[in-house]
Amino acid sequence: MQLKSVNLFNFVAMEILDGKLVAQSVKQGLKAQTQQLIAAGKRAPHLVAILVGSDGASETYVASKIKNCEEIGYKSSLVRLETIVEETELMKIIEQFNNDDAVDGILVQLPLPKHIDEQKIINLINPSKDVDGFSPVSVGRMVLGMPSFIPATPYGIMLMLEYYKIPTSGKRAVVIGRSNIVGRPMSILLSQANSYGNCTVTVCHSRSENIESICLDADIIVVALGIPGFLKSSMVKAGAVVIDVGITRVADTTKKSGFAIKGDVDFDNVSPKCSHISPVPGGVGLMTIAALLKNTFNAYQQRNLS
Ligand code: GUN
Protein backbone atom coordinates (compact mmCIF):
# COMPACT_ATOMS: atom_id res chain seq x y z
CA MET A 1 0.00 0.00 0.00
CA GLN A 2 1.63 3.27 -1.10
CA LEU A 3 -0.95 5.87 -0.17
CA LYS A 4 -0.07 9.43 -0.92
CA SER A 5 -2.15 12.49 -0.33
CA VAL A 6 -1.36 16.15 -0.66
CA ASN A 7 -2.39 18.68 1.94
CA LEU A 8 -3.24 21.89 0.15
CA PHE A 9 -2.42 24.05 3.19
CA ASN A 10 1.22 23.16 3.65
CA PHE A 11 1.94 21.17 0.47
CA VAL A 12 3.33 18.17 2.33
CA ALA A 13 3.03 14.87 0.44
CA MET A 14 2.18 12.27 3.03
CA GLU A 15 3.22 8.64 2.74
CA ILE A 16 1.79 5.84 4.86
CA LEU A 17 4.41 3.60 6.47
CA ASP A 18 2.84 0.30 5.57
CA GLY A 19 3.74 -2.29 8.21
CA LYS A 20 2.05 -5.06 6.26
CA LEU A 21 4.17 -4.42 3.19
CA VAL A 22 7.48 -4.16 5.06
CA ALA A 23 6.74 -7.12 7.36
CA GLN A 24 5.82 -9.21 4.33
CA SER A 25 9.13 -8.41 2.68
CA VAL A 26 11.09 -9.33 5.85
CA LYS A 27 9.08 -12.54 6.26
CA GLN A 28 9.55 -13.57 2.64
CA GLY A 29 13.33 -13.32 3.10
CA LEU A 30 13.21 -15.40 6.28
CA LYS A 31 10.93 -17.98 4.67
CA ALA A 32 13.35 -18.41 1.75
CA GLN A 33 16.30 -18.80 4.15
CA THR A 34 14.35 -21.36 6.18
CA GLN A 35 13.49 -23.33 3.04
CA GLN A 36 17.21 -23.40 2.18
CA LEU A 37 17.98 -24.85 5.62
CA ILE A 38 15.37 -27.56 5.21
CA ALA A 39 16.59 -28.35 1.69
CA ALA A 40 20.09 -28.77 3.14
CA GLY A 41 18.74 -31.33 5.62
CA LYS A 42 18.89 -29.02 8.63
CA ARG A 43 16.16 -28.35 11.15
CA ALA A 44 14.06 -25.15 11.12
CA PRO A 45 14.50 -22.38 13.72
CA HIS A 46 12.40 -23.07 16.82
CA LEU A 47 10.70 -20.40 18.94
CA VAL A 48 9.12 -21.17 22.31
CA ALA A 49 6.50 -18.73 23.63
CA ILE A 50 5.39 -18.89 27.25
CA LEU A 51 2.05 -17.33 28.13
CA VAL A 52 1.00 -17.04 31.76
CA GLY A 53 -2.70 -16.40 32.38
CA SER A 54 -5.33 -15.41 29.83
CA ASP A 55 -5.06 -11.65 29.32
CA GLY A 56 -6.94 -10.97 26.07
CA ALA A 57 -4.30 -8.76 24.45
CA SER A 58 -1.44 -11.12 25.39
CA GLU A 59 -3.42 -14.07 23.99
CA THR A 60 -3.81 -12.22 20.69
CA TYR A 61 -0.12 -11.25 20.46
CA VAL A 62 1.15 -14.72 21.28
CA ALA A 63 -1.29 -16.38 18.87
CA SER A 64 -0.06 -14.04 16.16
CA LYS A 65 3.61 -14.81 16.93
CA ILE A 66 2.92 -18.55 16.66
CA LYS A 67 0.90 -18.15 13.45
CA ASN A 68 3.68 -16.10 11.86
CA CYS A 69 6.26 -18.74 12.77
CA GLU A 70 4.14 -21.36 11.04
CA GLU A 71 3.70 -19.13 7.98
CA ILE A 72 7.44 -18.93 7.34
CA GLY A 73 8.27 -22.53 8.23
CA TYR A 74 9.68 -22.14 11.76
CA LYS A 75 8.88 -24.63 14.45
CA SER A 76 7.01 -23.00 17.34
CA SER A 77 5.83 -24.20 20.73
CA LEU A 78 3.32 -22.46 22.95
CA VAL A 79 3.45 -23.16 26.67
CA ARG A 80 0.34 -21.95 28.50
CA LEU A 81 0.45 -21.65 32.25
CA GLU A 82 -2.28 -20.71 34.69
CA THR A 83 -2.22 -17.25 36.28
CA ILE A 84 -1.58 -18.87 39.65
CA VAL A 85 1.56 -20.70 38.51
CA GLU A 86 4.37 -20.40 41.04
CA GLU A 87 7.43 -18.39 40.11
CA THR A 88 9.64 -21.42 40.81
CA GLU A 89 7.58 -23.55 38.39
CA LEU A 90 7.98 -20.97 35.63
CA MET A 91 11.72 -20.80 36.37
CA LYS A 92 12.00 -24.58 36.06
CA ILE A 93 10.29 -24.51 32.65
CA ILE A 94 12.63 -21.79 31.39
CA GLU A 95 15.65 -23.76 32.58
CA GLN A 96 14.40 -26.76 30.60
CA PHE A 97 14.23 -24.72 27.40
CA ASN A 98 17.57 -23.05 28.17
CA ASN A 99 19.13 -26.51 28.14
CA ASP A 100 17.26 -27.80 25.10
CA ASP A 101 19.53 -27.62 22.03
CA ALA A 102 16.53 -27.85 19.72
CA VAL A 103 15.18 -24.51 21.01
CA ASP A 104 16.61 -21.30 19.53
CA GLY A 105 14.44 -18.58 21.01
CA ILE A 106 12.49 -18.26 24.26
CA LEU A 107 10.00 -15.50 24.93
CA VAL A 108 7.90 -14.98 28.02
CA GLN A 109 4.95 -12.79 27.14
CA LEU A 110 4.72 -9.72 29.40
CA PRO A 111 3.15 -8.55 31.60
CA LEU A 112 3.36 -11.39 34.11
CA PRO A 113 1.01 -11.73 37.09
CA LYS A 114 2.00 -9.55 40.06
CA HIS A 115 3.28 -12.42 42.22
CA ILE A 116 6.01 -13.17 39.66
CA ASP A 117 9.16 -11.04 39.54
CA GLU A 118 9.38 -10.12 35.86
CA GLN A 119 13.03 -9.09 35.91
CA LYS A 120 14.02 -12.30 37.69
CA ILE A 121 12.34 -14.31 34.93
CA ILE A 122 13.91 -12.27 32.12
CA ASN A 123 17.33 -12.60 33.78
CA LEU A 124 16.97 -16.37 33.71
CA ILE A 125 16.57 -16.68 29.93
CA ASN A 126 19.78 -17.89 28.30
CA PRO A 127 21.16 -14.72 26.60
CA SER A 128 21.83 -16.74 23.42
CA LYS A 129 18.06 -17.46 23.22
CA ASP A 130 16.81 -14.04 24.39
CA VAL A 131 14.99 -13.16 21.16
CA ASP A 132 13.01 -10.41 22.93
CA GLY A 133 16.29 -8.65 23.71
CA PHE A 134 15.10 -7.81 27.24
CA SER A 135 17.89 -9.45 29.27
CA PRO A 136 20.63 -7.34 30.88
CA VAL A 137 23.17 -9.00 28.56
CA SER A 138 21.20 -8.07 25.41
CA VAL A 139 20.47 -4.53 26.65
CA GLY A 140 24.10 -4.01 27.66
CA ARG A 141 25.38 -5.24 24.30
CA MET A 142 22.88 -3.06 22.43
CA VAL A 143 23.86 0.06 24.41
CA LEU A 144 27.54 -0.64 23.70
CA GLY A 145 26.78 -0.97 19.98
CA MET A 146 27.77 -4.66 19.98
CA PRO A 147 25.85 -7.28 17.96
CA SER A 148 22.81 -8.17 20.08
CA PHE A 149 19.15 -9.07 20.06
CA ILE A 150 17.25 -5.80 19.77
CA PRO A 151 13.79 -5.57 21.35
CA ALA A 152 11.31 -6.36 18.60
CA THR A 153 9.28 -3.15 18.50
CA PRO A 154 12.20 -0.71 18.20
CA TYR A 155 13.96 -3.16 15.85
CA GLY A 156 10.83 -3.30 13.70
CA ILE A 157 10.66 0.50 13.60
CA MET A 158 14.31 0.69 12.51
CA LEU A 159 13.56 -1.82 9.72
CA MET A 160 10.66 0.36 8.66
CA LEU A 161 12.78 3.54 8.58
CA GLU A 162 15.34 1.64 6.50
CA TYR A 163 12.74 0.25 4.07
CA TYR A 164 11.35 3.72 3.38
CA LYS A 165 14.88 5.24 3.36
CA ILE A 166 13.85 7.90 5.83
CA PRO A 167 16.81 10.18 6.53
CA THR A 168 17.67 10.23 10.22
CA SER A 169 21.24 11.54 10.43
CA GLY A 170 21.35 14.89 12.20
CA LYS A 171 17.56 14.95 12.63
CA ARG A 172 15.78 15.80 15.85
CA ALA A 173 13.87 12.79 17.18
CA VAL A 174 11.48 12.77 20.10
CA VAL A 175 10.57 9.45 21.74
CA ILE A 176 7.52 9.69 23.98
CA GLY A 177 7.65 6.90 26.57
CA ARG A 178 10.60 5.40 28.43
CA SER A 179 9.61 1.74 28.80
CA ASN A 180 12.29 -0.95 28.68
CA ILE A 181 10.36 -2.61 25.84
CA VAL A 182 10.00 0.34 23.48
CA GLY A 183 10.89 3.92 24.47
CA ARG A 184 14.29 3.40 26.11
CA PRO A 185 15.78 1.09 23.45
CA MET A 186 14.24 3.22 20.68
CA SER A 187 15.97 6.33 22.00
CA ILE A 188 19.30 4.50 22.12
CA LEU A 189 19.03 3.10 18.58
CA LEU A 190 18.07 6.45 17.08
CA SER A 191 21.03 8.17 18.73
CA GLN A 192 23.66 5.55 17.82
CA ALA A 193 26.25 6.09 15.10
CA ASN A 194 24.52 3.65 12.75
CA SER A 195 22.59 3.84 9.53
CA TYR A 196 19.12 5.04 10.50
CA GLY A 197 20.60 6.48 13.71
CA ASN A 198 22.64 9.63 14.31
CA CYS A 199 19.59 11.54 15.53
CA THR A 200 19.58 14.12 18.30
CA VAL A 201 17.14 12.37 20.63
CA THR A 202 14.90 13.70 23.38
CA VAL A 203 12.99 11.23 25.58
CA CYS A 204 9.69 12.50 26.98
CA HIS A 205 7.73 10.76 29.73
CA SER A 206 4.97 11.28 32.27
CA ARG A 207 7.00 13.92 34.18
CA SER A 208 8.14 15.86 31.11
CA GLU A 209 7.12 19.50 30.91
CA ASN A 210 6.30 21.29 27.65
CA ILE A 211 5.91 18.10 25.62
CA GLU A 212 4.00 20.05 22.98
CA SER A 213 6.85 22.49 22.29
CA ILE A 214 9.46 19.69 22.38
CA CYS A 215 7.47 17.71 19.80
CA LEU A 216 6.94 20.77 17.62
CA ASP A 217 10.71 20.90 17.13
CA ALA A 218 10.94 17.23 16.08
CA ASP A 219 11.62 15.83 12.63
CA ILE A 220 10.76 12.33 13.87
CA ILE A 221 8.29 11.49 16.65
CA VAL A 222 7.88 7.99 18.09
CA VAL A 223 4.90 7.74 20.45
CA ALA A 224 4.78 4.74 22.79
CA LEU A 225 2.55 5.77 25.67
CA GLY A 226 -0.58 3.67 25.37
CA ILE A 227 -2.85 6.74 25.52
CA PRO A 228 -5.18 6.72 22.49
CA GLY A 229 -5.03 9.92 20.43
CA PHE A 230 -2.35 11.51 22.67
CA LEU A 231 -0.37 13.14 19.83
CA LYS A 232 -2.44 16.01 18.44
CA SER A 233 -1.83 18.00 15.27
CA SER A 234 -0.86 21.05 17.37
CA MET A 235 2.19 19.04 18.54
CA VAL A 236 3.51 18.15 15.08
CA LYS A 237 5.41 20.33 12.65
CA ALA A 238 4.76 20.16 8.91
CA GLY A 239 6.77 17.40 7.24
CA ALA A 240 7.46 15.38 10.42
CA VAL A 241 7.74 11.59 10.43
CA VAL A 242 5.33 10.11 13.00
CA ILE A 243 5.59 6.54 14.27
CA ASP A 244 2.65 5.30 16.34
CA VAL A 245 3.41 2.42 18.71
CA GLY A 246 0.06 2.59 20.60
CA ILE A 247 -2.19 -0.47 20.49
CA THR A 248 -4.93 0.14 23.05
CA ARG A 249 -8.16 -1.84 22.98
CA VAL A 250 -11.13 0.53 23.12
CA ALA A 251 -14.74 -0.71 23.47
CA ASP A 252 -16.52 -0.58 20.10
CA THR A 253 -19.92 -2.21 19.73
CA THR A 254 -19.75 -1.98 15.93
CA LYS A 255 -16.94 -4.56 15.92
CA LYS A 256 -17.51 -8.30 16.19
CA SER A 257 -14.75 -8.52 18.81
CA GLY A 258 -16.39 -5.72 20.84
CA PHE A 259 -13.28 -3.54 20.68
CA ALA A 260 -11.24 -1.46 18.26
CA ILE A 261 -7.46 -1.00 18.34
CA LYS A 262 -6.45 2.64 18.80
CA GLY A 263 -3.04 4.20 18.39
CA ASP A 264 -1.44 7.02 20.37
CA VAL A 265 -1.80 9.45 17.46
CA ASP A 266 -4.87 11.47 16.48
CA PHE A 267 -4.36 10.06 12.98
CA ASP A 268 -7.07 11.96 11.10
CA ASN A 269 -5.76 15.35 12.17
CA VAL A 270 -2.04 14.59 12.40
CA SER A 271 -1.56 12.66 9.15
CA PRO A 272 -2.17 15.59 6.76
CA LYS A 273 0.80 17.42 8.34
CA CYS A 274 3.27 14.51 8.11
CA SER A 275 5.73 13.44 5.46
CA HIS A 276 5.35 9.83 6.72
CA ILE A 277 3.09 8.26 9.32
CA SER A 278 2.50 4.70 10.52
CA PRO A 279 -1.16 3.74 10.93
CA VAL A 280 -2.78 1.67 13.70
CA PRO A 281 -3.57 -1.05 12.91
CA GLY A 282 -1.33 -1.93 9.96
CA GLY A 283 1.85 -0.23 11.12
CA VAL A 284 4.34 -0.98 13.87
CA GLY A 285 2.47 -4.00 15.30
CA LEU A 286 3.18 -6.11 12.23
CA MET A 287 6.82 -4.99 12.24
CA THR A 288 7.23 -6.15 15.85
CA ILE A 289 6.47 -9.70 14.81
CA ALA A 290 8.72 -9.52 11.73
CA ALA A 291 11.59 -8.32 13.96
CA LEU A 292 10.99 -11.13 16.45
CA LEU A 293 11.21 -13.64 13.59
CA LYS A 294 14.47 -12.02 12.45
CA ASN A 295 15.90 -12.26 15.99
CA THR A 296 14.88 -15.93 16.10
CA PHE A 297 16.67 -16.63 12.84
CA ASN A 298 19.79 -14.85 14.11
CA ALA A 299 19.64 -16.91 17.33
CA TYR A 300 19.44 -20.10 15.25
CA GLN A 301 22.40 -19.08 13.12
CA GLN A 302 24.60 -18.02 16.03
CA ARG A 303 23.82 -21.15 18.02
CA ASN A 304 24.59 -23.35 15.05
CA LEU A 305 27.90 -21.59 14.34
CA SER A 306 29.36 -22.12 17.78
N1 GUN B 1 4.50 -7.49 25.92
C1 GUN B 1 4.36 -6.40 25.12
N2 GUN B 1 5.29 -6.39 24.14
C2 GUN B 1 6.04 -7.51 24.31
C3 GUN B 1 7.13 -8.04 23.60
O1 GUN B 1 7.64 -7.50 22.62
N3 GUN B 1 7.62 -9.23 24.09
C4 GUN B 1 7.09 -9.84 25.19
N4 GUN B 1 7.65 -10.97 25.60
N5 GUN B 1 6.08 -9.36 25.87
C5 GUN B 1 5.54 -8.19 25.43
Side-chain angles (χ1 to χ4, degrees):
M1 181 169 56
Q2 292 273 16
L3 291 184
K4 288 209 182 206
S5 74
V6 175
N7 178 327
L8 295 179
F9 294 102
N10 51 27
F11 301 103
V12 174
M14 183 271 284
E15 186 169 18
I16 295 281
L17 300 172
D18 184 346
K20 194 169 175 189
L21 178 80
V22 188
Q24 208 54 44
S25 134
V26 171
K27 280 161 49 182
Q28 265 164 14
L30 293 170
K31 187 174 180 176
Q33 284 178 286
T34 305
Q35 281 166 348
Q36 281 172 13
L37 291 174
I38 307 293
K42 305 205 169 111
R43 67 172 179 83
H46 181 188
L47 175 71
V48 171
I50 302 174
L51 175 62
V52 182
S54 54
D55 171 73
S58 291
E59 293 255 8
T60 308
Y61 301 146
V62 170
S64 184
K65 290 169 186 180
I66 297 289
K67 181 170 156 268
N68 275 270
C69 280
E70 282 163 13
E71 254 176 52
I72 65 165
Y74 288 6
K75 181 171 179 198
S76 61
S77 305
L78 171 58
V79 178
R80 305 188 60 121
L81 300 168
E82 287 191 52
T83 311
I84 53 159
V85 68
E86 297 221 359
E87 188 179 82
T88 47
E89 180 60 22
L90 176 56
M91 291 170 77
K92 243 191 263 172
I93 292 169
I94 292 172
E95 288 286 15
Q96 262 173 357
F97 291 124
N98 277 345
N99 296 323
D100 184 342
D101 278 343
V103 170
D104 303 295
I106 304 169
L107 78 80
V108 179
Q109 188 65 27
L110 304 179
L112 289 170
K114 294 227 164 5
H115 67 280
I116 298 178
D117 180 342
E118 235 166 57
Q119 196 60 51
K120 192 169 167 186
I121 295 301
I122 289 168
N123 292 356
L124 194 65
I125 296 172
N126 181 338
S128 74
K129 302 186 181 190
D130 173 32
V131 287
D132 261 328
F134 294 163
S135 75
V137 171
S138 299
V139 175
R141 291 181 65 93
M142 179 193 66
V143 171
L144 293 170
M146 297 165 73
S148 68
F149 296 115
I150 295 171
T153 301
Y155 187 18
I157 293 170
M158 296 306 280
L159 293 170
M160 204 175 214
L161 294 175
E162 187 179 348
Y163 185 93
Y164 283 95
K165 299 190 170 45
I166 292 175
T168 56
S169 186
K171 303 293 182 193
R172 287 177 192 232
V174 171
V175 177
I176 310 177
R178 56 179 162 183
S179 71
N180 290 341
I181 295 181
V182 186
R184 181 76 56 201
M186 191 73 243
S187 67
I188 291 162
L189 294 170
L190 285 171
S191 72
Q192 276 175 332
N194 272 329
S195 32
Y196 302 96
N198 286 312
C199 288
T200 304
V201 181
T202 304
V203 181
C204 293
H205 45 76
S206 53
R207 302 289 173 90
S208 296
E209 293 177 356
N210 305 321
I211 292 191
E212 180 162 331
S213 66
I214 295 168
C215 287
L216 267 174
D217 238 8
D219 303 302
I220 299 167
I221 304 175
V222 180
V223 208
L225 273 184
I227 303 177
F230 174 85
L231 193 80
K232 305 279 186 295
S233 73
S234 61
M235 302 165 82
V236 179
K237 77 173 179 187
V241 176
V242 171
I243 311 278
D244 190 347
V245 185
I247 32 166
T248 307
R249 289 179 168 202
V250 176
D252 184 341
T253 48
T254 67
K255 305 268 183 204
K256 215 166 91 189
S257 60
F259 62 83
I261 301 290
K262 294 280 178 209
D264 287 352
V265 177
D266 173 8
F267 186 89
D268 289 347
N269 294 308
V270 169
S271 56
K273 288 181 102 175
C274 298
S275 67
H276 300 80
I277 185 166
S278 70
V280 175
V284 169
L286 300 166
M287 290 310 302
T288 297
I289 296 192
L292 171 71
L293 298 172
K294 236 170 133 57
N295 276 341
T296 305
F297 198 88
N298 290 341
Y300 173 97
Q301 280 191 313
Q302 281 156 32
R303 297 188 57 260
N304 284 282
L305 278 178
S306 51

